[in-house]
Amino acid sequence: MKKINLLLAALIACCITAHAQQTATFKANHRVIETKQFNKQVNDMLTDIGIPGLSLAIINNDQVVFSNVYGSKTQLAGDQADPETIFEACSLSKSFLVFVAMQLADQQKLDLDKPLYEYLEYPLLQHDSRYKLITARMILSHSSGIENYKRENNAEVLELVAAPGTDFVYSSAGYVYLGNVIEVILKKSADTYLKELVYEPLQLHRTFSKYEKDGSYPQNYATGYTVFGKEIKKWKNDSVLVSGGIHTTAKDYATLITSIFNRKYLSDDRVKDITHGDIGLGDKGKLLYWGAGFGLQYAQGDTIIFQNGVQDGFRSWVYYSKKNKSGVAFFTNSSLGMSILKKLNELSVNLNIDPLLDDSDFEHYPDPALALLRIYRTGPVDNLFNKVAHTSNKELSFASLNNLALIIASDNKTVAKRLMEENRKRHPEKSEAYLELGKLDFRLKDYKSALANFTQCKLLNPGTTEVEGQIKECLKRLN
């Protein structure tokens, strides 16, 4: 028996080794990437920032040509992530429903432009007759007018915050409605139709809609961490949430993306639906749109589809070039995960995604603010201020130091105030320096200091209407 167990252990080890083996190079958008050097650069970046784990996949010529997992599932010693480790897909979960909806449209079971209430009346929206205008296309392009979550405005009512088909309003709640409609069309649960139409035909063996057996299945999952490295209790949804509850790997997800665009599963008409900009994204509307299922960037004769995802302790991204048939998908178990987007792109497919880089909750690596945050996390605080003092304005921009202070404010307002004061000292000509410091002073109930900062902000930039109300509030509390 002992020999048998040893043999089994050896076989398992061989399988894991074989699974982890990678070629010496891989191609990414007409570039040849040396795997060893690439892996080193990615590992160094994660260490520099303090991101525990990363699941990464790279697409070239509509094939997943590279995938790897870096770092750890948790911050416990030896808890290494591996190719089977699943991450929370966050809003990238919606892509699985997009794939299902487009298949049904090809089969003429779902009309993208037919009002959804004709398939399924929705009690949560019946209080507003405008909901009868909502179509599947509007849901997929986030132009239905449905708020993102019911709790955002009136916690008791799911609201339409814009007329259907008129404005971009990101809506996870809308995807839930569409998921319910598809259950009615197919007479199957979301769990069943996702397995039958997506996971099984695409052989996505490490993709799960929910946790089962009292949360004990699936195993081998990543745990999320805040920007300060604090562990977040693992969310294990025991029911299907099509808008954000799928758990997967980057390799599985990248396989889904290639299946959407390789014409093996969807028709040309469906790909056109996905890549047609139905609604503009605010003041970036000339460059960024949302089509039936994804965000769209039009630039230099190319269409780049994209989607990002945000949940507590997890960040995810996908972007894919229709012209070059290449892209990147990644999942991290850190709230700092967005900061790797720019560098990962430079190291791999090197697509023009500049308009997407603003959509980040922190600066992009290797911005010095990321290193400063890591110093703050490991302490002591004096080390942080010593480093700031020896970092020039050229290295550390106003925006970077301000963002650092805003993030630290959620953990230590006193430290944040010192950073903002340093930023004001460095940039006395910037009205924003006084505005942000005034806001923090107000939160600290130092109304006298807040009033002084708001007043100086107004002097430097008389057009800043935001401070008018702030000044009035300060005077009210001081009188």
Side-chain angles (χ1 to χ4, degrees):
M1 179 63 70
K2 185 175 180 180
K3 289 183 179 179
I4 293 174
N5 288 338
L6 288 172
L7 179 59
L8 286 172
L11 287 171
I12 292 171
C14 288
C15 289
I16 292 174
T17 301
H19 191 51
Q21 284 179 346
Q22 298 171 336
T23 57
T25 63
F26 63 92
K27 288 186 177 181
N29 191 23
H30 311 296
R31 306 169 74 198
V32 177
I33 310 296
E34 293 185 4
T35 303
K36 184 177 180 180
Q37 178 68 9
F38 177 81
N39 285 336
K40 181 183 184 305
Q41 290 172 310
V42 172
N43 274 315
D44 288 347
M45 174 171 59
L46 299 181
T47 300
D48 288 346
I49 301 171
I51 294 175
L54 165 70
S55 181
L56 170 68
I58 295 173
I59 298 167
N60 188 67
N61 197 26
D62 274 342
Q63 294 182 329
V64 182
V65 295
F66 176 85
S67 64
N68 201 5
V69 179
Y70 306 84
S72 58
K73 295 180 283 187
T74 71
Q75 291 185 344
L76 297 176
D79 201 8
Q80 191 75 13
D82 61 51
E84 304 292 304
T85 302
I86 55 174
F87 288 69
E88 293 180 19
C90 311
S91 281
L92 271 63
S93 301
K94 296 178 176 68
S95 307
F96 297 88
L97 188 68
V98 172
F99 188 58
V100 171
M102 291 304 176
Q103 289 183 72
L104 297 185
D106 271 336
Q107 297 165 14
Q108 298 184 345
K109 294 178 180 179
L110 173 66
D111 184 338
L112 297 180
D113 297 305
K114 177 179 177 178
L116 286 184
Y117 87 95
E118 295 185 23
Y119 293 102
L120 173 67
E121 294 192 3
Y122 205 44
L124 290 177
L125 291 171
Q126 283 180 331
H127 61 88
D128 192 327
S129 61
R130 294 178 299 172
Y131 105 93
K132 291 187 175 182
L133 300 173
I134 295 172
T135 66
R137 190 184 303 277
M138 293 177 191
I139 295 288
L140 293 169
S141 63
H142 295 285
S143 59
S144 69
I146 304 173
E147 62 185 335
N148 194 16
Y149 296 106
K150 186 167 73 171
R151 62 177 182 267
E152 286 194 338
N153 295 287
N154 183 342
E156 302 300 319
V157 180
L158 182 62
E159 296 185 85
L160 288 180
V161 295
T166 61
D167 293 308
F168 176 78
V169 179
Y170 193 87
S171 179
S172 294
Y175 269 71
V176 173
Y177 181 17
L178 179 58
N180 292 343
V181 167
I182 291 174
E183 285 187 332
V184 170
I185 291 172
L186 295 177
K187 297 182 174 59
K188 295 178 180 179
S189 70
D191 191 31
T192 299
Y193 71 63
L194 284 170
K195 288 177 181 175
E196 292 181 354
L197 296 179
V198 191
Y199 308 162
E200 291 172 0
L202 303 187
Q203 299 183 44
L204 308 184
H205 302 305
R206 291 299 293 168
T207 299
F208 304 89
S209 301
K210 61 181 180 178
Y211 279 80
E212 302 177 41
K213 301 177 183 178
D214 296 324
S216 64
Y217 179 82
Q219 292 287 326
N220 194 358
Y221 53 81
T223 298
Y225 290 85
T226 70
V227 294
F228 304 111
K230 296 176 181 177
E231 182 177 317
I232 296 173
K233 184 179 179 182
K234 176 61 183 172
W235 176 55
K236 294 183 176 181
N237 51 307
D238 58 5
S239 60
V240 179
L241 180 62
V242 294
S243 62
I246 290 176
H247 306 256
T248 188
T249 65
K251 183 178 181 180
D252 272 12
Y253 183 83
T255 299
L256 170 67
I257 294 299
T258 62
S259 301
I260 289 173
F261 292 99
N262 64 13
R263 306 305 201 275
K264 293 180 181 179
Y265 299 91
L266 301 181
S267 68
D268 286 345
D269 286 341
R270 298 293 77 79
V271 173
K272 288 178 182 177
D273 286 330
I274 291 171
T275 56
H276 178 268
D278 293 324
I279 199 81
L281 302 189
D283 58 2
K284 291 185 178 180
K286 293 182 180 179
L287 285 176
L288 302 181
Y289 292 80
W290 211 279
F294 293 92
L296 304 170
Q297 174 195 311
Y298 297 136
Q300 299 177 346
D302 194 8
T303 300
I304 293 178
I305 69 106
F306 66 90
Q307 169 82 59
N308 65 20
V310 175
Q311 279 172 193
D312 288 345
F314 288 87
R315 298 291 187 271
S316 54
W317 252 103
V318 64
Y319 58 97
Y320 166 89
S321 163
K322 181 184 176 185
K323 177 181 178 182
N324 298 305
K325 300 181 180 180
S326 61
V328 173
F330 70 81
F331 302 88
T332 71
N333 58 339
S334 169
S335 293
L336 288 170
M338 297 291 192
S339 61
I340 68 175
L341 172 62
K342 181 179 180 180
K343 189 64 176 179
L344 269 183
N345 180 60
E346 292 172 355
L347 293 175
S348 57
V349 292
N350 201 32
L351 294 171
N352 174 23
I353 59 169
D354 287 348
L356 306 182
L357 296 178
D358 290 338
D359 196 6
S360 172
D361 48 10
F362 206 68
E363 300 305 307
H364 293 280
Y365 181 82
D367 191 283
L370 290 164
L372 292 171
L373 180 61
R374 188 156 183 251
I375 292 171
Y376 171 76
R377 287 168 53 177
T378 56
V381 171
D382 286 345
N383 289 350
L384 170 65
F385 288 101
N386 287 336
K387 184 65 175 177
V388 170
H390 290 89
T391 306
S392 69
N393 288 358
K394 185 177 180 180
E395 295 174 287
L396 184 63
S397 69
F398 169 81
S400 292
L401 187 52
N402 187 63
N403 286 344
L404 176 66
L406 290 173
I407 287 176
I408 290 178
S410 65
D411 187 61
N412 190 319
K413 292 182 179 62
T414 302
V415 172
K417 180 170 180 175
R418 285 182 62 186
L419 290 171
M420 286 188 179
E421 289 172 339
E422 172 66 21
N423 215 13
R424 181 183 62 182
K425 179 181 176 182
R426 289 171 174 238
H427 304 278
E429 78 289 353
K430 286 189 174 290
S431 61
E432 301 98 313
Y434 297 90
L435 177 63
E436 295 299 341
L437 187 50
K439 289 178 181 178
L440 184 57
D441 282 334
F442 194 90
R443 290 166 62 188
L444 290 168
K445 298 183 179 181
D446 186 353
Y447 302 119
K448 184 177 180 180
S449 181
L451 178 60
N453 280 302
F454 288 139
T455 301
Q456 185 61 27
C457 173
K458 185 178 179 181
L459 287 172
L460 289 170
N461 187 0
T464 307
T465 56
E466 181 180 357
V467 296
E468 295 290 346
Q470 302 278 14
I471 289 173
K472 289 180 181 178
E473 287 298 321
C474 288
L475 290 172
K476 183 194 298 185
R477 284 165 172 75
L478 287 170
N479 291 332

